[in-house]
């Protein structure tokens, strides 16, 4: 009898890294741990392998993929030109949670770039990702690269553990290397250096202020002519549970209203950072430290866990508006898109 396809999780031993590289060379998909989130990885030079990523994710073909390589030197082989800004940013933040958008080299597949004249490049710092990329690179003039979007179904939150990846692709034959929980927890900062002024297309752990310090000039505004980023869709990071944000005063009022309600209440969950919500029936309360890095690390895993518990509503206390919180606010705006307090 034919066994159904399914993912399987393997510890990231040296043998399993070699095995994962063999899978990539054979045109198969693997689940790749990185410090930001897990990727669904394929040989970026193999159009059939790249097509499997789009099919598995249900992702529209015109959404470009990031190519991952082991070093800035390797990244340059995937670019047609390497501006001074790219040099400075690579020196400051690679290996690490940053993706650079540059003009693509002519060998880069259309399937990877979505037909655009640019390509996204990243050098991850996770030791398992580094080991896979170094071994996969080979000794050609162009080091082989790995195309990897976040390993989630299109429109779902990104996975931060090997188990999450397996849950997202239950029917996919997939070798998932277990590299532990991703230490950043949200996707890389994307910086477009292909135009006149560098600009941030997606905020992440590498902060705008740090980028400006390294570049020595202010960042440009991301405008409508920015290259297509699927993470830029208003509701891209969508949990299934209705999720909304309320600022602290409004949230306290709402909690009082729940407490005083006469009718039976649905199960709800609230996540705060500035105060402890008083316990009450049919309300789960979670308080995360008022620190952007903690929220980045916890957010997706928490959304995923809470989604499985089928709460009527998840209410998140609006985070501070300071630049440090840009990435958290960006992801929460998408997760709460279309929900309003009137729905409560
Ligand atoms: O942290 C990350 O970046 C993770 C890990 C696995 O590296 N990857 C990731 O990939 O988040 P993905 O595909 O889920 O998100 C990458 C975003 C997409 O929104 C895509 O549209 C954008 O990067 N992107 C890729 N190439 C681009 C390009 N040439 N121009 C503009 N945006 C691009
Ligand atoms: Mg993604």
């Amino acid at each position: 009898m034919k066994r159904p396809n399914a993912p399987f999780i393997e510890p990231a031993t040296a043998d399993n890294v070699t095995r994962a590289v063999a899978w990539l060379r054979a045109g198969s998909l693997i689940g790749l741990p990185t410090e930001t989130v897990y990727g669904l990885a394929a040989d970026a030079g193999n159009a059939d392998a790249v097509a499997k990523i789009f099919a598995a994710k249900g992702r529209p073909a015109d959404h470009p993929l990031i190519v991952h390589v082991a070093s800035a030197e390797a990244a340059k082989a995937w670019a047609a030109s390497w501006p001074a800004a790219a040099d400075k940013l690579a020196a400051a933040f690679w290996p690490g949670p940053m993706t650079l958008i540059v003009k693509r080299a002519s060998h880069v597949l259309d399937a990877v770039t979505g037909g655009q004249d640019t390509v996204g490049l990243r050098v991850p710092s996770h030791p398992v990702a580094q080991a896979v990329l170094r071994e996969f690179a080979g000794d050609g003039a162009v080091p082989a690269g790995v195309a990897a979007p976040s390993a989630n179904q299109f429109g779902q939150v990104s996975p931060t553990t090997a188990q999450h990846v397996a849950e997202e692709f239950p029917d996919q034959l997939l070798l998932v290397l277990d590299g532990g929980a991703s230490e950043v927890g949200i996707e890389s900062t994307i910086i477009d250096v292909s135009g006149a002024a560098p600009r941030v297309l997606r905020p992440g752990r590498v902060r705008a202020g740090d980028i400006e310090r390294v570049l020595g000039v202010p960042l440009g505004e991301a405008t409508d002519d920015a290259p297509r980023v699927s993470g830029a869709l208003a509701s891209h990071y969508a949990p299934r549970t209705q999720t909304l944000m309320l600022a602290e005063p409004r949230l306290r009022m709402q909690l009082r209203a729940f407490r005083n309600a006469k009718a039976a209440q649905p199960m709800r969950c609230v996540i705060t950072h500035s105060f402890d919500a008083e316990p009450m029936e049919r309300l789960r309360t979670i308080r995360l430290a008022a620190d952007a890095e903690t929220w980045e690390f916890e957010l997706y895993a928490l959304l995923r866990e809470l989604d499985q518990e089928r709460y009527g509503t998840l209410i998140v206390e609006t985070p501070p508006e300071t630049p440090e919180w840009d990435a958290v606010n960006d992801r929460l705006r998408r997760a709460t898109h279309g929900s309003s307090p009137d729905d409560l």
Side-chain angles (χ1 to χ4, degrees):
M1 242 191 13
K2 194 164 172 274
R3 244 187 47 221
N5 287 340
F8 58 100
I9 299 174
E10 296 287 348
T13 58
D15 279 355
N16 284 330
V17 165
T18 298
R19 200 162 143 220
V21 167
W23 274 53
L24 289 171
R25 294 210 170 108
S28 299
L29 301 183
I30 66 163
L32 181 71
T34 88
E35 71 280 15
T36 56
V37 300
Y38 275 66
L40 184 67
D43 178 353
N46 177 338
D48 292 336
V50 170
K52 289 181 189 168
I53 294 178
F54 286 91
K57 277 185 64 102
R59 178 167 170 143
D62 60 351
H63 285 227
L65 303 176
I66 297 170
V67 176
H68 299 70
V69 289
S71 66
E73 222 33 63
K76 288 180 193 171
W78 288 75
S81 56
W82 197 254
D87 253 344
K88 290 184 188 168
L89 293 170
F93 301 118
W94 274 349
M98 174 186 75
T99 296
L100 292 179
I101 307 293
V102 295
K103 294 286 184 208
R104 70 189 241 190
S106 56
H107 67 84
V108 186
L109 297 174
D110 277 336
V112 168
T113 66
Q116 304 187 63
D117 64 352
T118 55
V119 62
L121 299 170
R122 183 159 104 80
V123 177
S125 62
H126 193 294
V128 177
Q130 273 287 326
V132 169
L133 293 170
R134 275 197 304 265
E135 194 168 327
F136 182 62
D139 47 18
V142 176
V146 160
S150 53
N152 51 278
Q153 293 293 329
F154 184 65
Q156 298 303 317
V157 293
S158 296
T160 55
T161 68
Q163 286 71 27
H164 295 162
V165 178
E167 285 161 23
E168 286 287 323
F169 301 99
D171 303 319
Q172 188 74 37
L173 179 60
L174 191 65
L175 165 58
V176 185
L177 287 176
D178 190 348
S182 296
E183 64 175 281
V184 174
I186 56 160
E187 307 85 347
S188 60
T189 305
I190 301 182
I191 312 169
D192 180 5
V193 292
S194 71
R199 52 192 178 168
V200 171
L201 301 184
R202 179 174 72 183
R205 179 64 62 84
V206 173
R207 312 291 190 213
D210 295 325
I211 296 167
E212 291 185 331
R213 260 190 295 283
V214 165
L215 292 176
V217 292
L219 285 160
E221 288 290 315
T223 51
D224 281 348
D225 68 325
R228 199 177 295 105
V229 185
S230 66
L233 297 176
S235 69
H236 188 63
Y237 302 92
R240 277 174 282 263
T241 307
Q242 181 196 38
T243 304
L244 51 93
M245 274 194 286
L246 292 179
E248 182 256 351
R250 177 70 215 272
L251 177 53
R252 285 187 191 268
M253 257 173 53
Q254 194 63 59
L255 292 173
R256 272 196 296 278
F258 291 156
R259 177 182 303 281
N260 296 332
K262 297 282 179 291
Q265 295 293 299
M267 260 322 271
R268 299 188 178 97
C269 178
V270 62
I271 309 177
T272 59
H273 57 81
S274 75
F275 69 100
D276 283 324
E278 251 181 76
M280 70 180 88
E281 266 180 52
R282 308 198 60 74
L283 182 75
R284 173 163 170 204
T285 60
I286 298 171
R287 183 172 180 179
L288 295 180
D291 158 73
E293 294 194 2
T294 301
W295 277 65
E296 288 168 356
F297 178 73
E298 301 279 0
L299 187 65
Y300 285 154
L302 206 49
L303 288 178
R304 197 172 273 278
E305 179 200 322
L306 296 174
D307 244 6
Q308 291 184 347
E309 316 220 338
R310 310 236 164 258
Y311 290 102
T313 315
L314 166 64
I315 310 173
V316 184
E317 181 186 358
T318 309
E321 282 295 334
T322 51
E324 224 198 317
W325 289 85
D326 277 355
V328 171
N329 279 311
D330 170 76
R331 303 312 191 273
L332 278 175
R333 269 196 296 277
R334 298 176 203 290
T336 59
H337 180 77
S339 301
S340 106
D342 302 338
D343 305 335
L344 279 169

